[in-house]
Amino acid sequence: MTPTARDARVAGLLYLFITITGVFNLIYVPGRLLVRGNAAATAANLLAHESLFRIDLLVSVASSVGYVFLALALYRLLAGVDQRHAVTMVVLVLVQLPQSFVSELTHLAALLLVRGADFLAVFDRPQREALAMLFLRLDDQGTIVSQAFWGLWLFPLGLLVWRSGFLPRVLGGWLIANGFAYLATSVTGLLWPAQLALVSKVTFPVLLGEVAFMLWLVAFGVRRTAPGRASMAA
């Protein structure tokens, strides 16, 4: 296996990892624990499934770290195409990290509130449950903001894939469209939240661009040696 093919497979496996952890964090755990509009039921679920909630926190941190390594793997794969765009791609991934760690703090705050530590005795139970729901809703809003950055980093990535010559151009175009779809959902969630569900349904097929790219890297790797790799190695 050539270094370029190896880098492609490593990037694909890292993409697969953050895809699986993303489904776990954003779909599976909220579906099991959160009851929209019912703070008491949500608090009861957090207490009954505290281990799952804590595993969710750990998986989320691991996913954030994996996201960084994915960006570095893609940089190694695509820097020979255009180093400026590759650097921009990595920077746009790194700027997302603070928000992801703040999100974990809001989860921990919600857990502390529903457990009812001694120093929280000044709040009665319904107040603590309402505050816990507030922190969880703040995390939802943080996800909406993060979607803008999830879209922005796909623009340089899509351009690099489009120009690479060793990856299908259609994947580059799909990644760019995927970036616009994320921006559309983020802007809609911030300005017109009542329309978010509709926009999410419309953009869902476009959001599969990352999945297609990930599957291509895992299954097929690259077509030939990346431009500039031989000169960089020399």
Side-chain angles (χ1 to χ4, degrees):
M1 181 180 291
T2 65
T4 303
R6 183 180 64 248
D7 291 342
R9 293 296 169 81
V10 169
L13 291 173
L14 286 168
Y15 227 135
L16 179 61
F17 171 74
I18 67 169
T19 299
I20 294 173
T21 55
V23 170
F24 182 79
N25 293 139
L26 299 175
I27 299 176
Y28 177 74
V29 173
R32 285 287 305 275
L33 301 183
L34 303 187
V35 181
R36 300 293 178 183
N38 193 328
T42 298
N45 284 341
L46 293 185
L47 290 174
H49 305 284
E50 183 176 338
S51 295
L52 175 62
F53 192 70
R54 290 187 179 275
I55 290 172
D56 177 53
L57 295 173
L58 180 61
V59 170
S60 183
V61 172
S63 182
S64 297
V65 175
Y67 204 7
V68 174
F69 281 102
L70 168 63
L72 295 176
L74 290 172
Y75 175 86
R76 181 174 172 80
L77 177 66
L78 297 167
V81 179
D82 189 313
Q83 189 172 21
R84 182 183 60 180
H85 288 160
V87 169
T88 302
M89 174 188 68
V90 174
V91 169
L92 288 172
V93 169
L94 294 179
V95 297
Q96 302 176 45
L97 290 181
Q99 192 281 326
S100 65
F101 292 125
V102 169
S103 174
E104 303 319 307
L105 290 177
T106 62
H107 278 76
L108 287 171
L111 185 58
L112 287 173
L113 284 164
V114 298
R115 293 185 67 188
D118 292 340
F119 63 88
L120 294 171
V122 294
F123 300 105
D124 58 29
R125 183 173 178 177
Q127 289 175 324
R128 288 188 286 105
E129 292 172 347
L131 287 172
M133 180 64 86
L134 171 62
F135 279 109
L136 294 174
R137 292 296 298 275
L138 284 175
D139 177 61
D140 286 344
Q141 296 303 306
T143 299
I144 291 173
V145 174
S146 293
Q147 285 179 327
F149 293 98
W150 296 351
L152 288 174
W153 88 287
L154 294 179
F155 294 137
L157 174 59
L159 287 172
L160 288 167
V161 172
W162 179 273
R163 297 173 53 188
S164 66
F166 55 86
L167 290 166
R169 277 195 164 191
V170 65
L171 291 177
W174 200 348
L175 286 170
I176 293 172
N178 199 149
F180 281 113
Y182 271 132
L183 287 177
T185 55
S186 180
V187 171
T188 301
L190 293 173
L191 298 181
W192 306 285
Q195 306 301 320
L196 181 58
L198 175 61
V199 172
S200 297
K201 289 181 180 179
V202 172
T203 59
F204 177 75
V206 184
L207 293 175
L208 296 177
E210 283 188 282
V211 176
F213 179 56
M214 175 266 292
L215 293 176
W216 180 275
L217 290 178
V218 172
F220 303 108
V222 296
R223 289 171 172 169
R224 59 179 177 80
T225 304
R229 174 57 59 86
S231 60
M232 290 169 65

